[in-house]
């Protein structure tokens, strides 16, 4: 696109502005490459992205392009967690996608290297790349190293679980203070198989990132070399006019979903893969998710479900080894899918091996014969709900409990903290969906508090909102339709019996249809009365079962 600026006589005024940036005629004549970085000083996952941006730029220069750094916003979910700021996290995905579109098309770039690292920034940038459809490569900032305390690994989720342990008398305040200071030792995305790292891994399977993107530590020099490879790769894509929609095909999304199930990724990946696919003209649905999950063995159990973290996964062979192992199942992996290396995906994994069988299991001896996520349906989730079943204890896969109902996260957390939740309770948190929140807040505080108290196997959590990838236990999110959209989760009352059977994909309220009808007639849905641009978001966002994407027509 930049040729119109560099070669068109009528674009002399635009060239004058490029020269104001210090660009020479020779630089203006070369392909113009945006290096879109989410660098900021408030997000640990992004604090070091300027070093990666510089590495990308050096490779773009070396391969005949002119790189230009441009910014992206990014919210740290951990810092936003548990207060009003979390309402802006998922909606920011749309702002990021819009920002990528605006910067790329507004300045006639020929290609882009995307440099994100955290939860909404990764899908937001990929959504923008799919929408604009000019050559693009993603290279993330990489995972944080684990913290250590008392001879064991700890992470961000350890702090939240520590709160529950203190409140139940299982931990001292001194221990919690030490964990707080040691849990997050430096830059990078939090070290477990949380949402950011899940998506960084899936970007490899999707073909939009090079091998190692999901697992090379943020502090490793290998991460800088990976950034340089990304800079070289985008120039190859520009030369061959290979665009994101040629890479992010239906086959690519099927590959990503298979890896998703094998690694026990965050439940939020469903939201984000659906949204990225939507921008690429690929349709995904929950039935597809369930089908792939049923046919994909779970090969990894990583933090928070175990003590293994992203660095361990990388040392064990990484996503390439997992792809190679999954490829042993006929028809599961499309090895001929194109990648940003301008080569088939099979080239990334054909020589990869499992180097630690404790971290990556084989398809012949998996942790479970089915994938890490499961879709549930029933009379309070007719359009589906999602559970990370790889993080659910075997004895909690079936559950019958009495409802304790709350209309916001804060009320539920207060009840848990004050001892108001007991074994056998089914905590229902509603009006936290995309519309009702608005913003579908990610909730780690209630799940971690229960885990810290030792109740994660004995209490269910059910919400039309969503849970952090750091969550473990019987946490069911994405209940659709949500309460604010007339969903039957709004009809549940304290004391109602709720039945869960994850193996059968069932979530039901044991209340007869007549009583449900009576409740529906009396229902007065809660109005969140959003202000600012969240008002616009609440009026335009769709349900979680479609990825919480924005309406195309209104």
């Amino acid at each position: 696109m930049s040729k119109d600026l560099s070669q068109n006589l009528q674009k002399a005024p635009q060239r004058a502005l490029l020269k104001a940036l210090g660009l020479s005629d020779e630089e203006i004549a070369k392909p113009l490459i945006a290096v879109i970085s989410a660098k900021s000083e408030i997000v640990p996952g992004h604090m070091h992205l300027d070093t990666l941006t510089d590495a990308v730029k050096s490779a773009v220069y070396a391969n005949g392009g002119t790189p230009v750094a441009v910014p992206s916003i990014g919210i740290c979910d951990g810092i936003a967690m548990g207060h009003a700021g979390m309402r802006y996290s998922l909606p920011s995905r749309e702002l990021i996608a819009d920002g990528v579109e605006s910067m790329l098309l507004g300045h006639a770039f020929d290609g882009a290297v995307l440099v994100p690292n955290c939860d909404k920034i990764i899908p937001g940038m990929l959504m923008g790349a799919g929408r604009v459809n000019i050559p693009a490569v993603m290279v993330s900032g990489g995972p944080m190293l684990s913290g250590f305390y008392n001879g064991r690994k700890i992470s961000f989720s350890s702090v939240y679980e520590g709160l529950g342990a203190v409140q139940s008398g299982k931990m001292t305040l001194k221990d919690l203070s030490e964990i707080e200071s040691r849990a997050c030792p430096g830059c990078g995305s939090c070290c477990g198989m949380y949402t950011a790292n899940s998506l960084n891994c899936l970007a490899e399977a999707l073909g939009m990132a090079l091998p190692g993107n999901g697992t090379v530590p943020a502090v490793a020099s290998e991460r800088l070399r990976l950034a340089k490879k990304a800079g070289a790769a985008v120039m190859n894509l520009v030369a061959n006019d290979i665009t994101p929609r040629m890479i992010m095909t239906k086959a690519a999304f099927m590959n990503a979903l298979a890896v998703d199930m094998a690694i026990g990724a965050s439940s939020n990946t469903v939201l984000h893969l659906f949204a990225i696919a939507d921008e690429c003209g690929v349709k995904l649905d929950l039935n597809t998710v369930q089908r792939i999950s049923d046919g994909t063995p779970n090969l990894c159990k990583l933090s928070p479900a175990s003590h293994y973290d992203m660095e361990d996964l990388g040392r064990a062979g990484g996503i390439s080894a997992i792809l190679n192992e999954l490829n042993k199942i006929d028809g599961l992996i499309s090895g001929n899918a194109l990648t940003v290396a301008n080569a088939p995906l099979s080239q990334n994994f054909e020589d990869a091996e499992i180097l630690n069988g404790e971290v990556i299991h084989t398809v012949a001896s998996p942790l479970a014969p089915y994938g890490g996520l499961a879709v549930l349906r029933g009379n309070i989730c007719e359009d589906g709900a999602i559970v990370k079943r790889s993080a659910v204890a075997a004895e909690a896969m079936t559950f019958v409990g009495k409802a304790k109902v709350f209309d916001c996260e804060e009320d539920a957390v207060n009840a848990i903290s004050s001892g108001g939740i007991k074994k056998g309770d089914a905590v229902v948190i509603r009006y936290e969906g995309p519309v009702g929140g608005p913003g579908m807040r990610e909730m780690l505080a209630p799940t971690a508090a229960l885990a810290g108290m030792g109740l994660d196997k004995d209490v269910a959590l059910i919400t039309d909102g969503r849970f952090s990838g750091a969550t473990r236990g019987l946490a069911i999110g994405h209940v659709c339709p949500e309460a604010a959209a007339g969903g039957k989760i709004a009809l549940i009352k304290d004391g109602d019996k709720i039945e869960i059977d994850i193996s059968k994909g069932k979530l039901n309220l044991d209340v007869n249809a007549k009583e449900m009808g009576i409740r529906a007639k009396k229902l007065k849905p809660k109005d969140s009365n959003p202000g600012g641009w969240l008002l616009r978001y609440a009026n335009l966002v769709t349900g979680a079962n479609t990825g919480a994407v924005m309406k195309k027509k209104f």
Side-chain angles (χ1 to χ4, degrees):
M1 290 193 292
S2 69
K3 284 184 178 180
D4 185 49
L5 298 183
S6 63
Q7 299 179 8
N8 188 334
L9 175 64
Q10 301 300 319
K11 296 300 189 293
Q14 285 83 351
R15 289 194 293 276
L17 292 170
L18 292 176
K19 289 181 179 181
L21 296 169
L23 297 180
S24 66
D25 287 326
E26 292 77 14
E27 288 173 311
I28 293 170
K30 294 176 181 179
L32 198 61
I33 307 299
V35 186
I36 306 179
S37 171
K39 155 75 178 181
S40 77
E41 295 183 349
I42 190 62
V43 183
H46 297 172
M47 61 190 284
H48 64 305
L49 294 188
D50 52 347
T51 61
L52 293 184
T53 298
D54 288 343
V56 170
K57 290 173 67 178
S58 69
V60 171
Y61 269 125
N63 287 271
T66 298
V68 180
V70 297
S72 168
I73 66 165
I75 290 175
C76 176
D77 278 20
I79 296 175
M81 195 84 66
H83 61 90
M86 182 48 76
R87 300 194 192 283
Y88 288 87
S89 177
L90 181 60
S92 75
R93 186 187 70 182
E94 312 309 313
L95 291 184
I96 293 162
D98 292 348
V100 169
E101 175 189 1
S102 300
M103 295 301 285
L104 292 181
L105 294 181
H107 302 101
F109 282 106
D110 298 295
V113 178
L114 314 172
V115 190
N117 207 28
C118 293
D119 297 30
K120 308 311 160 303
I121 301 86
I122 302 159
M125 286 192 180
L126 289 175
M127 288 164 66
R131 189 186 300 172
V132 175
N133 203 34
I134 65 170
V137 179
M138 194 188 96
V139 58
S140 78
M144 187 184 291
L145 298 178
S146 288
F148 279 89
Y149 182 59
N150 278 348
R152 65 182 180 90
K153 288 182 178 180
I154 57 174
S155 65
F156 176 68
S157 62
S158 304
V159 188
Y160 264 108
E161 293 187 11
L163 286 172
V166 168
Q167 289 160 352
S168 62
K170 296 180 179 181
M171 182 184 289
T172 67
L173 281 172
K174 181 179 181 297
D175 283 331
L176 178 60
S177 179
E178 290 291 336
I179 289 172
E180 175 188 326
S181 297
R182 299 167 188 251
C184 301
C187 66
S189 49
C190 296
C191 65
M193 188 54 79
Y194 309 154
T195 304
N197 290 326
S198 296
L199 288 164
N200 279 326
C201 289
L202 298 191
E204 292 185 42
L206 199 55
M208 285 299 294
L210 297 168
N213 182 74
T215 54
V216 174
V219 296
S221 294
E222 186 182 353
R223 178 63 57 176
L224 294 174
R225 297 195 295 273
L226 188 64
K228 292 176 182 178
K229 289 179 182 178
V234 77
M235 295 309 300
N236 181 272
L237 296 181
V238 169
N240 290 281
D241 197 25
I242 296 173
T243 63
R245 290 186 202 170
M246 297 167 67
I247 295 170
M248 293 192 285
T249 62
K250 184 68 175 281
F253 282 101
M254 297 301 102
N255 288 339
L257 281 170
V259 170
D260 191 342
M261 301 309 159
I263 63 178
S266 164
S267 58
N268 288 314
T269 57
V270 175
L271 280 176
H272 300 317
L273 285 177
F274 278 27
I276 299 165
D278 185 68
E279 296 291 354
C280 296
V282 175
K283 297 301 178 186
L284 300 177
D285 58 37
L286 293 180
N287 290 333
T288 301
V289 171
Q290 189 62 59
R291 176 176 58 79
I292 293 179
S293 185
D294 288 342
T296 305
N298 180 210
L299 305 183
C300 299
K301 192 178 285 289
L302 301 166
S303 174
S306 79
H307 66 278
Y308 295 119
D309 58 22
M310 301 308 298
E311 187 179 9
D312 294 319
L313 177 59
R315 288 174 175 167
I319 298 303
S320 294
I322 289 168
L323 281 164
N324 198 24
E325 193 63 23
L326 293 178
N327 195 47
K328 296 175 181 178
I329 300 174
D330 288 343
L332 186 58
I333 298 297
S334 296
N336 60 353
L338 187 62
T339 73
V340 290
N342 192 13
L345 183 66
S346 60
Q347 185 172 296
N348 289 352
F349 66 73
E350 57 192 4
D351 295 324
E353 298 178 0
I354 296 175
L355 303 177
N356 185 336
E358 295 285 321
V359 179
I360 303 176
H361 291 244
T362 65
V363 295
S365 183
L367 288 161
Y370 45 74
L373 299 181
V375 177
L376 306 182
R377 295 188 188 273
N379 62 357
I380 53 173
C381 56
E382 292 155 323
D383 292 338
I386 297 289
V387 62
K388 185 175 178 178
R389 60 181 167 187
S390 60
V392 179
E395 58 267 40
M397 295 292 277
T398 58
F399 180 91
V400 177
K402 290 186 176 181
K404 290 284 186 71
V405 184
F406 305 93
D407 285 347
C408 67
E409 176 190 6
E410 289 83 356
D411 289 349
V413 171
N414 288 337
I416 294 168
S417 301
S418 63
I421 302 302
K422 309 296 183 184
K423 288 184 178 182
D425 285 341
V427 177
V428 176
I429 309 174
R430 59 194 179 194
Y431 294 105
E432 290 286 6
V435 175
M440 201 180 185
R441 288 193 291 178
E442 185 176 86
M443 293 177 275
L444 180 56
T447 58
L450 289 172
M453 292 176 172
L455 292 173
D456 52 302
K457 298 177 183 178
D458 303 299
V459 172
L461 280 163
I462 302 162
T463 183
D464 52 8
R466 59 196 180 92
F467 293 113
S468 166
T471 292
R472 61 187 173 96
L474 187 51
I476 299 168
H478 305 204
V479 168
C480 288
E482 62 173 290
K488 292 179 181 176
I489 188 173
L491 305 180
I492 303 174
K493 292 184 176 181
D494 283 345
D496 286 347
K497 186 166 76 171
I498 292 178
E499 300 173 340
I500 302 166
D501 191 329
I502 294 175
S503 62
K504 293 181 180 179
K506 299 296 183 183
L507 170 60
N508 282 298
L509 179 67
D510 187 17
V511 174
N512 63 55
K514 182 179 179 180
E515 171 62 18
M516 294 282 272
I518 293 170
R519 293 183 187 182
K521 290 179 180 179
K522 296 179 179 179
L523 179 66
K524 294 181 179 180
K526 175 186 172 184
D527 186 350
S528 61
N529 294 312
W533 71 273
L534 287 183
L535 175 61
R536 181 169 75 250
Y537 179 83
N539 280 282
L540 295 178
V541 70
T542 63
N545 61 315
T546 60
V549 299
M550 306 301 279
K551 296 174 184 175
K552 297 294 189 291
K553 295 182 179 180
F554 45 87

